[in-house]
Amino acid sequence: MSFRLAAYGVCFVDGRVLLARYVSPGGEGTWWTLPGGKVEHGEDPFAAVTRELMEETGLT
């Protein structure tokens, strides 16, 4: 069994929550998720979620 560390951000603006639309690679479906993802080896989780938010949304 292996484990993967991930970091996800909850972003609120005027009472609304930012979600990212995930599209499965195999075409099995789509769903809404929090923006975020894998924490690279040795990476600070806060830096990882900041990086993932920018990669997935284009926002800083």
Side-chain angles (χ1 to χ4, degrees), residues 19-25 27-34:
L19 295 174
R21 183 171 174 232
Y22 176 80
V23 179
S24 64
E28 295 87 20
T30 65
W31 57 88
W32 294 102
T33 184
L34 293 170

Side-chain angles (χ1 to χ4, degrees), residues 1 5-6 13 15 18 20-22 24-25 31 44 48 53-54 58:
M1 175 182 279
L5 180 61
V13 176
L18 175 68
R21 183 171 174 232
Y22 176 80
S24 64
W31 57 88
D44 176 74
L53 281 167
M54 191 175 85

Side-chain angles (χ1 to χ4, degrees), residues 1-3 8-9 17 19 23-25 27 30 32 38 42 49 52 56 58:
M1 175 182 279
S2 65
F3 293 93
Y8 292 86
V17 178
L19 295 174
V23 179
S24 64
T30 65
W32 294 102
K38 182 179 177 186
V49 75
E52 287 286 344
E56 294 183 7

Side-chain angles (χ1 to χ4, degrees), residues 41-53:
H41 180 72
E43 185 178 26
D44 176 74
F46 183 78
V49 75
T50 302
R51 174 184 51 75
E52 287 286 344
L53 281 167

